[in-house]
Amino acid sequence: MSPERASLTVSKIRDGTVIDHIPAGKALTVLRILSITGKEGLRTAVLMNVESRKLGRKDIIKIENRELSSKEVNAIALVAPTATINIIRNYVVHKKLRVEVPENIVGILRCPNPTCITNRPREPVTPRFKVTSKSPLVLQCVYCGTIIREDEIEKLLTA
Ligand code: CTP
Ligand code: ZN
């Protein structure tokens, strides 16, 4: 082994998306947001808790032959605000995007208030939240005013 610390090596991909600088331990939540279960047949690498100069530890996801919509990129920001999205074409980083928490969140999360109109059993209204603070992340339901804090987001994801 080289004198440098041991590392997990995963090969470069030809075409697809590399989501880098994910906070350590959040990769599976990011996959959930993207609705990637493994059954789609996409060749995917998930690295968890690997060394990062910037973050100490980080997670990385490499997905072949899949690009992300802007809605998916915004949703990733809710659980992985430090993530970098690299779009790979013919082995080259074609585009590098920082994720950004949007002003409004439509869908993706459910409102925790059981009496909110977004939780009506019949004809439910699509949940909508206004981002009232980006760091720390604070969201507010547009319909009932319920506040959601950063640590509650994961359990409110609908995907
Ligand atoms: N990558 C890959 N396949 C490619 C090209 C890049 O899997 N064909 C991965 C790299 O391993 C890295 C990420 O995509 O995890 C971003 O690549 P690059 O921009 O070359 O790396 P850095 O300069 O280290 O990125 P940053 O500045 O965002 O830290
Ligand atoms: Zn509500």
Side-chain angles (χ1 to χ4, degrees), residues 33 72-83 98-102 137:
I33 287 175
E72 288 174 321
V73 171
N74 289 342
I76 289 169
L78 297 177
V79 297
T82 52
R98 290 299 304 267
V99 303
E100 211 200 319
V101 176
L137 196 53

Side-chain angles (χ1 to χ4, degrees), residues 10-15 17-21 53-54 58 60-63 84-96 98:
V10 172
S11 55
K12 304 242 174 228
I13 63 172
R14 179 180 182 138
D15 292 294
T17 303
V18 175
I19 309 169
D20 197 357
H21 307 297
R53 235 171 299 150
K54 290 181 210 163
K58 67 174 179 180
I60 307 172
I61 300 171
K62 301 190 182 198
I63 316 160
T84 315
I85 313 287
N86 298 277
I87 297 165
I88 314 293
R89 294 203 183 143
N90 202 18
Y91 291 106
V92 175
V93 178
H94 172 78
K95 238 195 220 167
K96 193 182 281 282
R98 290 299 304 267

Side-chain angles (χ1 to χ4, degrees), residues 39-150:
K39 302 212 170 108
E40 301 75 25
L42 299 171
R43 202 145 72 135
T44 302
V46 182
L47 291 97
M48 294 192 268
N49 302 310
V50 297
E51 286 79 6
S52 157
R53 235 171 299 150
K54 290 181 210 163
L55 301 175
R57 295 274 174 152
K58 67 174 179 180
D59 289 359
I60 307 172
I61 300 171
K62 301 190 182 198
I63 316 160
E64 274 189 335
N65 301 319
R66 170 81 141 76
E67 293 195 1
L68 309 184
S69 69
S70 57
K71 195 183 168 194
E72 288 174 321
V73 171
N74 289 342
I76 289 169
L78 297 177
V79 297
T82 52
T84 315
I85 313 287
N86 298 277
I87 297 165
I88 314 293
R89 294 203 183 143
N90 202 18
Y91 291 106
V92 175
V93 178
H94 172 78
K95 238 195 220 167
K96 193 182 281 282
L97 309 166
R98 290 299 304 267
V99 303
E100 211 200 319
V101 176
E103 303 293 324
N104 295 286
I105 292 149
V106 180
I108 303 165
L109 299 172
R110 63 178 178 79
C111 179
N113 169 11
T115 65
C116 181
I117 57 167
T118 61
N119 287 317
R120 248 185 348 205
R122 263 186 262 191
E123 301 170 60
V125 173
T126 303
R128 277 170 199 271
F129 301 91
K130 197 173 143 35
V131 176
T132 59
S133 162
K134 291 197 179 183
S135 185
L137 196 53
V138 180
L139 315 180
Q140 183 168 32
C141 176
V142 167
Y143 299 103
C144 72
T146 296
I147 300 281
I148 300 178
R149 291 179 206 288
E150 206 163 301

